[in-house]
Amino acid sequence: MEKKIPLIVIHGPTASGKSNLAIKLARKFNGEIVSADSRQVYKGLDIGTGKVTKKEQRMVCHHLLDVAKPGTRFTVARFQKLADKAIKDIWSRGKLPFLVGGSPLYVKAVVEGYDIPVVRPDWKLRKNLEGKPLEKLLQRLKKLDSKTYSRIDKKNPRRVIRALEIIIRTGKPIAERTSQSRYHALQLAIDVPREQLYERIDSRVDSRARLGMIREVERLIEGGVSKKWLMSLGLEYRFITNFLQEIRGLEAGGKRFEVKNCRIEMLQKLKYAIHDFARRQMIWYRKMPSIVWIKGISDAEKSIRRTHL
């Protein structure tokens, strides 16, 4: 039997400090990082996704950033294939691979070795599903595949429709499609008190707004990326795309004060939406018995040494 590759997985809700922790640990343990973020795979989605800077990428080699064009479809199956290849390459060069989430479904696909079927888009089926309320789609998914339902982003219609498409086309729940994992994974999750996490989220939204998060979305739209696709990404990109459409008339009428107020209101609503998203992430992580909860880098180092090195 082939020996399993050691893999350090860094979990945690948004704004918990996963990227910073991963960089410190990778430098400490001669590692490289595989990003498991479903939005950071796209070129040009930098500020809104919190993608690590070029300076940080020079500190530690990062994989699976900027591997897809914005506006295109990037599947879990494609991510899994590229991540497996990157992890194998990192280990073959005598380095320790770190998988940093990101997107829980992406992480689970790699760690648990999902056997994901290649299912081509069924446009007729998709059009039919897109015409139904999200609540109805979720009810159907829960009936057909309760395990996938429990872990999917329930506010992302695109993900829900794709899951239903695979299940309907293949006649088999996605959750049943697992094969033996090729990794000996240590799964760490950063434990941050809720109020502190909310403060970090608010500060991060303000910082990204100053850095040009809204202008980033404007450039993507000007470059031909569809508003519908941007909105399907959720959170920052959905809120900002809606905001840009709402203020079009206000700007044309020279109503700068109204535009400013609209911007402030949008950013506040975005913060609350991310609070809710982080809360749901924490609930999901708490249900995972394989996770080792850590307070900071010292806890992480101890766990890695005890388990792998």
Side-chain angles (χ1 to χ4, degrees), residues 234-293:
L235 293 175
E236 294 89 350
Y237 294 93
R238 175 165 58 87
F239 274 81
I240 294 172
T241 301
N242 275 328
F243 163 74
L244 292 173
Q245 294 181 98
E246 289 173 7
I247 66 169
R248 191 179 301 163
L250 295 175
E251 288 181 328
K255 299 180 179 180
R256 293 184 179 179
F257 183 73
E258 286 86 345
V259 170
K260 183 179 179 180
N261 283 342
C262 189
R263 181 179 184 273
I264 293 171
E265 182 181 358
M266 180 272 293
L267 291 175
Q268 188 58 56
K269 288 181 177 178
L270 173 59
K271 291 174 184 177
Y272 290 149
I274 300 175
H275 290 181
D276 182 57
F277 177 63
R279 180 185 59 79
R280 288 185 283 115
Q281 283 183 308
M282 287 300 291
I283 292 171
W284 190 87
Y285 287 130
R286 294 291 182 192
K287 294 178 180 178
M288 293 179 62
S290 58
I291 279 182
V292 176
W293 289 92

Side-chain angles (χ1 to χ4, degrees), residues 87-195:
I87 292 167
K88 185 176 181 180
D89 172 63
I90 293 167
W91 182 245
S92 72
R93 290 184 282 105
K95 293 179 175 286
L96 184 61
F98 286 77
L99 183 66
V100 184
S103 304
L105 184 58
Y106 277 26
V107 174
K108 286 179 75 68
V110 173
V111 173
E112 298 182 12
Y114 286 2
D115 179 16
I116 304 173
V118 178
V119 177
R120 292 186 177 278
D122 185 329
W123 302 111
K124 185 177 179 179
L125 175 59
R126 285 191 183 185
K127 187 174 181 180
N128 178 267
L129 294 173
E130 286 171 356
K132 299 182 184 301
L134 178 58
E135 187 58 38
K136 293 288 185 183
L137 296 176
L138 286 168
Q139 289 175 7
R140 188 173 183 184
L141 179 60
K142 187 175 183 180
K143 183 178 179 181
L144 294 174
D145 187 349
S146 60
K147 288 185 179 179
T148 296
Y149 168 84
S150 69
R151 64 176 176 244
I152 204 165
D153 182 354
K154 296 176 180 60
K155 293 193 175 183
N156 191 328
R158 181 169 60 100
R159 288 277 179 84
V160 176
I161 288 171
R162 177 56 179 166
L164 283 169
E165 181 181 38
I166 293 173
I167 295 163
I168 293 168
R169 288 289 304 278
T170 63
K172 186 177 181 181
I174 297 172
E176 291 180 6
R177 305 175 188 281
T178 57
S179 55
Q180 182 139 4
S181 173
R182 67 186 68 180
Y183 307 115
H184 177 40
L186 170 63
Q187 302 195 61
L188 305 175
I190 305 172
D191 193 3
V192 182
R194 184 175 295 185
E195 290 306 314

Side-chain angles (χ1 to χ4, degrees), residues 3 33 39 51 53 77 101 117 148 152 205-207 232 258 278 307:
K3 186 177 179 181
I33 293 170
R39 302 188 302 176
K51 194 178 293 177
T53 64
T148 296
I152 204 165
V205 169
D206 290 335
S207 175
S232 75
E258 286 86 345
T307 308

Side-chain angles (χ1 to χ4, degrees), residues 68-99:
K69 292 182 180 179
T72 60
R73 184 168 154 269
F74 191 91
T75 65
V76 177
R78 184 180 173 194
F79 171 79
Q80 182 192 45
K81 182 178 180 180
L82 292 176
D84 284 339
K85 182 178 179 182
I87 292 167
K88 185 176 181 180
D89 172 63
I90 293 167
W91 182 245
S92 72
R93 290 184 282 105
K95 293 179 175 286
L96 184 61
F98 286 77
L99 183 66

